[in-house]
Amino acid sequence: MPRLRDNVLANYAGHMWVALMGFAFVPAYLRYLGAEQFGMVAFMLSLQSISLLLDFGVGVFLNRELAQRAHDPERRGGIARLIRSFEWLVWPMAAIIAVAIFACSGSLSAHWLKLDNLTQSDADHAIKLIGMTVALLWPSSFYTAALSGLEQQLRLNALVMAFATLRYAGVLAVLMFTDTGLQGFLCWYAIVAGAQTVCSAWLLWKTIPAATLPLGFDLQEILGARHFALGVFALTALGLLLNQLDKLTLSALRPLQEFGYYAIAVTVSGGLGRLVQPMFSAVYPRLSRLVGSGQQQELANLYHLASQIVAVVIAAIAGVICTYPGPVLLLWTGNAEISSQVALPLALLFAGTAINGTLNLPYALQLAHGWTRLATFANLVSVLIAIPLYVIAIKQFGMTGAASVWFAINLCNFLFGLPLMHRRLLRGELRTWYLHDILPPALSTTIICLMARTMHPQVDRDLAGVVWLILLGIATLFSATVASGGVRRMLVRYIRSDRSLR
């Protein structure tokens, strides 16, 4: 069985590489495509996120189910049959996604997107290519969830890193050496998406234990998943809708160019999610196994330690970005207009995403127990409140209004959702989570960032500015680590054990 530490490190390596690839090339994409066509790329990413609804919770179910079956000698032999049964649903659904986006391309280009320089014909063709890309990539999430449940993070992240490099760096070559523009960009994404799905499927089938049951479609495997999977589907549907409401509303109410600017802020704030997801992906299967074996003390220890690690990472990065949003954007894009317009929305988006990130481990704990009702209810209430708020805020304040609503919704979930969860799961641990897991790194980082802002209120786009931001990042990470008791003790134990082996 792979060690949890190795899985966490592999996940962080993979997600950080993907984030680096995405951040490094966005300024070049903007230079070759412009803000409006980059807005079309952001629209594709929104459709990719929405398409995840159509797995009906199967990915989360598989992750939990395989984590438990892989360590049960009596059930290991049925893993191959389980996966083959769901494959009979996954691939037809991918075809349905492609057909649906193709069919809606004309309406989306004519009535949804607010085009300026891009013609309706070009937008219609682009949306058709987006449909192909989304459909080809969609099955890979199924295979990724299965590999994660089998705790194959090392192999999985090697695959993810390879295709991230192909996707982000390869498409730049297309833009530089051909005159295909947006069409070439989307065609390359479609090719890489198909190749990634095929390779993910090959890796999974190479990894799963030998089958003791005949391969084929087994209706009982599908039916056995229905209660938990449908609960996850409802939860995921509402969660994805909540995550996309700002972008969908903004794309419908404001010019596509403004949506392109907002997409830049979303890209930066989304990078924080890539630093939280590795911990979730590694810890969720282990939490599921501990729940299944009834190891409550080990479960609580892992829950708190993982929450503290996430809090340290989030506090260090969010502190720097929220303190200097404009300079960070200027250093990244080299565009003064973008940095001035997007700075405040970025700070609000990043703060909301940071709060959301701290809720990932409590969410994993709920899924490990097979309990989806609370999170579903919280997302439903959030969506019902957010819809009118987004419309009003975006009409009045544009990007800043959208980011403000996102921040407020996550703050409410942080303050009111956690107490409800801990009334049922790990009772008596709420105070520890708030006061020992989250507060110390957040408070220490806030103090460091306020001092830095007072000492150096403006950061220029030069070597001194870069050095200042790097030093601030190191200072916030160090202070958050020292303030977090669990992380500090873990590092001390690791250093001492490493020295003892020399």
Side-chain angles (χ1 to χ4, degrees):
M1 180 182 67
R3 291 187 298 176
L4 181 59
R5 188 188 70 187
D6 295 339
N7 287 340
V8 171
L9 292 176
N11 282 343
Y12 270 108
H15 281 75
M16 290 179 68
W17 182 256
V18 172
L20 176 63
M21 289 290 99
F23 291 153
F25 295 110
V26 167
Y29 300 160
L30 284 168
R31 184 166 62 252
Y32 284 103
L33 295 176
E36 186 176 33
Q37 292 190 41
F38 186 75
M40 187 65 76
V41 175
F43 185 66
M44 174 186 69
L45 298 178
S46 293
L47 289 181
Q48 283 181 347
S49 297
I50 294 170
S51 72
L52 296 177
L53 287 173
L54 299 177
D55 83 334
F56 297 102
V58 168
V60 178
F61 165 78
L62 271 182
N63 195 314
R64 177 173 179 262
E65 184 71 10
L66 294 181
Q68 295 178 352
R69 286 196 189 193
H71 300 280
D72 185 346
E74 296 182 359
R75 304 176 69 197
R76 283 171 56 90
I79 289 178
R81 188 176 180 88
L82 172 70
I83 293 172
R84 178 54 53 85
S85 298
F86 279 104
E87 278 187 325
W88 281 94
L89 303 180
V90 167
W91 285 99
M93 184 59 68
I96 291 172
I97 291 172
V99 171
I101 296 178
F102 268 61
C104 296
S105 62
S107 298
L108 290 171
S109 61
H111 305 297
W112 185 271
L113 299 175
K114 306 300 182 184
L115 304 176
D116 187 9
N117 298 317
L118 200 64
T119 67
Q120 184 179 334
S121 175
D122 288 341
D124 178 71
H125 189 212
I127 292 172
K128 286 183 169 66
L129 289 173
I130 287 172
M132 183 183 303
T133 303
V134 172
L136 288 171
L137 186 62
W138 186 80
S140 69
S141 63
F142 165 80
Y143 296 111
T144 297
L147 286 164
S148 180
L150 293 171
E151 299 193 50
Q152 295 295 317
Q153 275 81 359
L154 290 171
R155 294 179 177 179
L156 175 59
N157 282 284
L159 182 73
V160 168
M161 292 168 68
F163 278 100
T165 305
L166 275 176
R167 179 178 293 108
Y168 293 113
V171 79
L172 182 60
V174 173
L175 293 175
M176 292 176 61
F177 300 113
T178 72
D179 59 354
T180 53
L182 179 62
Q183 308 299 328
F185 186 104
L186 296 174
C187 283
W188 180 258
Y189 262 51
I191 292 169
V192 175
Q196 182 172 347
T197 294
V198 170
C199 290
S200 299
W202 171 82
L203 180 59
L204 175 61
W205 280 103
K206 181 182 177 181
T207 303
I208 58 177
T212 58
L213 297 173
L215 293 180
F217 180 78
D218 187 345
L219 182 60
Q220 292 306 312
E221 293 283 15
I222 307 297
L223 295 177
R226 67 186 185 279
H227 294 299
F228 179 63
L230 289 176
V232 171
F233 166 68
L235 170 60
T236 305
L238 292 168
L240 281 172
L241 179 59
L242 184 63
N243 286 329
Q244 297 301 320
L245 266 177
D246 57 339
K247 294 175 275 295
L248 292 174
T249 308
L250 192 69
S251 67
L253 297 179
R254 309 290 288 194
L256 188 59
Q257 183 176 13
E258 183 176 349
F259 179 58
Y261 285 147
Y262 188 73
I264 296 170
V266 170
T267 300
V268 177
S269 62
L272 185 61
R274 293 189 180 278
L275 296 177
V276 175
Q277 187 63 34
M279 182 62 70
F280 178 93
S281 299
V283 170
Y284 170 50
R286 193 62 59 92
L287 290 175
S288 299
R289 185 159 60 82
L290 293 174
V291 169
S293 59
Q295 298 173 272
Q296 285 298 303
Q297 188 57 53
E298 290 81 356
L299 181 70
N301 292 341
L302 177 57
Y303 171 69
H304 286 302
L305 179 58
S307 293
Q308 289 184 40
I309 295 172
V310 167
V312 167
V313 173
I314 287 175
I317 297 173
V320 176
I321 299 296
C322 293
T323 304
Y324 295 108
V328 168
L329 283 168
L330 184 60
L331 286 169
W332 179 43
T333 64
N335 190 311
E337 180 184 1
I338 290 175
S339 63
S340 63
Q341 293 196 35
V342 182
L344 181 56
L346 173 60
L348 291 167
L349 274 176
F350 217 93
T353 303
I355 296 172
N356 183 272
T358 64
L359 300 176
N360 267 254
L361 269 299
Y363 174 58
L365 182 66
Q366 294 173 60
L367 292 179
H369 282 86
W371 186 38
T372 59
R373 186 173 300 175
L374 174 62
T376 301
F377 176 75
N379 282 348
L380 176 61
V381 172
S382 298
V383 167
L384 294 176
I385 294 173
I387 290 174
L389 286 181
Y390 273 126
V391 172
I392 295 170
I394 288 173
K395 283 185 176 180
Q396 293 293 322
F397 304 106
M399 293 185 291
T400 304
S404 299
V405 173
W406 171 249
F407 171 77
I409 288 172
N410 283 288
L411 181 61
C412 289
N413 283 329
F414 179 85
L415 295 176
F416 303 116
L418 263 295
L420 293 174
M421 186 199 81
H422 278 289
R423 292 178 63 181
R424 173 170 173 174
L425 305 180
L426 294 182
R427 297 180 66 178
E429 303 288 342
L430 176 64
R431 181 183 178 88
T432 300
W433 192 85
Y434 274 134
L435 298 184
H436 296 279
D437 298 347
I438 305 301
L439 181 61
L443 185 59
S444 65
T445 299
T446 300
I447 294 172
I448 294 293
C449 289
L450 288 175
M451 293 173 58
R453 185 75 183 190
T454 302
M455 295 168 55
H456 208 321
Q458 184 60 39
V459 175
D460 297 323
R461 190 172 183 255
D462 54 17
L463 180 59
V466 173
V467 171
W468 177 256
L469 291 176
I470 292 174
L471 291 176
L472 178 59
I474 294 172
T476 55
L477 182 60
F478 178 78
S479 67
T481 301
V482 172
S484 180
V487 177
R488 186 178 65 248
R489 288 189 293 271
M490 179 189 69
L491 290 176
V492 169
R493 286 196 301 269
Y494 176 74
I495 292 171
R496 287 177 177 174
S497 65
D498 183 61
R499 286 178 178 174
S500 67
L501 296 175
R502 292 179 182 179

